Amino acid sequence: MSALPGSAEGAATTGLVDSPVQPAPADLPPLTEQTRLEAREIMARYPQPRSALLPMLHLVQSYQGYVSPEGVALCAEELGLTKAEVGAVATFYTMYKRRPTGRHLVSVCTNTLCAVLGGQRILDALAADLDVHHDETAADGSVTLEHAECLAACDYAPVVTVDYEFYDQQDVESARALVAALRRGEKPLPTRGAPLTDFRGVSRQLAGFSQHADAGAARAAVDAPGEWGPTLAGVRLAAERGETAPPMDGPEPQPADGGEPADTVAPSGDEGKTPEKEAADARVAAADNPAERAGAAQTHPDRGTEYGRRTPGGSRPTPDTPAGTEPGTSGQGPSPREA
């Protein structure tokens, strides 16, 4: 199948959308000062502000239903990035929408197992009912339809999600009934997971803010009942049949790591050795490979200097070198007093 770049058919084939971000429609609500304040609240959660970009994109999407040019500009201004840098991220992840989205986002898995069990038939039927293609919105603005490569629920195939909540083991008729209810303004209870809200609400939740009216509604969403039958079917059948996994050949399993090495729980009495340093010495000695040894050395109270840790510039720090002043460090390490 061949398709022009940016076409719905090409996106449905490859899973990628290379069309430009759609300009804002005339009735799009503007991003307000409240949006900017919440963006700064997200930035404050991270040591490096630019790490906040992903949740900030969800935030602007929760206000406008997609990552608009205005949303890209706001993120760029607040983070000190170019709009091209923000757009590169926004166009990489499929959860960030490039055109206005309906009240609900309906995703139909068309990957291997779901496709074999009818996922493609479901997608085709819903597309015909809504008169849309992949990543297009029904004329009444109620539903945006998309195909999904995998929804990570193969034991419940075919799977449909609405605003990322699961509706399992669907067929053409049940999926049609689900979408018809959404278009009537109803919110059918998902098979498992939180009660349904809408696409903007779940985008707000992904930005790290509550989408629920109060604490009681948030608790109800967390405690929502779920159906786990298919996932636990193998365990149930094994119990009924008295089946167990065959023994595995190989070395005896080692006991779980209880924290400090057993031989350093009690102080040894060595002069100048604290229990913390003795435990750290034992961790370094017990390391099985260079990577583990380097990790243990990094957390040593002496900061690993006696174990050969080198600075990025290649020199060995001396024991009296103040933390954060070795070449190539940022000054974020522990102070000499903390060490």
Side-chain angles (χ1 to χ4, degrees):
M1 174 181 177
S2 62
L4 295 175
S7 69
E9 292 80 6
T13 303
T14 65
L16 302 174
V17 178
D18 57 0
S19 55
V21 174
Q22 183 170 315
D27 59 348
L28 190 71
L31 298 177
T32 65
E33 186 62 23
Q34 178 65 25
T35 314
R36 197 173 291 273
L37 292 174
E38 289 178 341
R40 293 172 185 172
E41 182 179 337
I42 294 173
M43 292 164 59
R45 302 172 189 166
Y46 297 89
Q48 297 295 328
R50 68 180 297 159
S51 299
L53 178 55
L54 297 184
M56 284 173 65
L57 289 170
H58 284 299
L59 176 69
V60 298
Q61 186 164 260
S62 75
Y63 276 93
Q64 296 187 321
Y66 80 120
V67 179
S68 67
E70 183 185 9
V72 169
L74 183 146
C75 293
E77 290 167 9
E78 292 297 323
L79 295 173
L81 302 174
T82 66
K83 288 188 283 187
E85 289 173 314
V86 174
V89 174
T91 56
F92 182 83
Y93 296 102
T94 58
M95 291 178 79
Y96 301 124
K97 303 308 176 186
R98 304 173 70 176
R99 61 190 72 182
T101 303
R103 186 168 62 252
H104 297 289
L105 174 68
V106 175
S107 310
V108 182
C109 182
T110 57
N111 213 332
T112 308
L113 189 55
C114 284
V116 168
L117 295 176
Q120 187 63 51
R121 291 194 296 273
I122 292 173
L123 180 64
D124 292 342
L126 296 182
D129 289 349
L130 296 169
D131 192 25
V132 298
H133 295 92
H134 165 74
D135 197 31
E136 293 182 351
T137 302
D140 61 2
S142 60
V143 169
T144 295
L145 180 68
E146 68 176 7
H147 90 98
E149 280 299 297
C150 183
L151 296 174
C154 300
D155 43 350
Y156 294 90
V159 176
V160 173
T161 63
V162 179
D163 307 326
Y164 308 122
E165 300 295 348
F166 284 98
Y167 293 82
D168 302 318
Q169 297 176 316
Q170 295 290 303
D171 57 32
V172 169
E173 293 310 313
S174 65
R176 275 178 158 162
L178 170 62
V179 170
L182 296 173
R183 301 185 76 184
R184 293 193 299 267
E186 301 171 15
K187 296 181 178 179
L189 191 66
T191 310
R192 51 201 165 94
L196 195 63
T197 55
D198 55 32
F199 178 69
R200 296 191 185 191
V202 79
S203 293
R204 183 168 180 80
Q205 181 171 315
L206 290 168
F209 297 97
S210 176
Q211 61 167 318
H212 303 290
D214 51 46
R219 284 194 300 271
V222 172
D223 297 335
E227 172 55 59
W228 307 104
T231 298
L232 301 178
V235 175
R236 177 177 55 79
L237 290 173
E240 291 175 357
R241 299 170 181 173
E243 298 173 344
T244 58
M248 296 181 63
D249 296 331
E252 290 293 322
Q254 298 297 314
D257 183 6
E260 302 297 342
D263 58 346
T264 64
V265 171
S268 65
D270 290 348
E271 185 176 354
K273 288 283 188 178
T274 65
E276 292 79 9
K277 289 188 177 183
E278 290 181 0
D281 288 342
R283 279 194 292 269
V284 173
D288 292 331
N289 56 63
E292 290 183 3
R293 191 174 300 109
Q298 291 283 359
T299 60
H300 196 281
D302 290 332
R303 303 197 67 213
T305 56
E306 64 186 85
Y307 296 105
R309 183 173 68 85
R310 293 180 181 272
T311 64
S315 61
R316 293 178 186 271
T318 59
D320 57 351
T321 302
T325 61
E326 303 99 330
T329 63
S330 63
Q332 294 181 349
S335 66
R337 183 179 301 172
E338 291 172 336

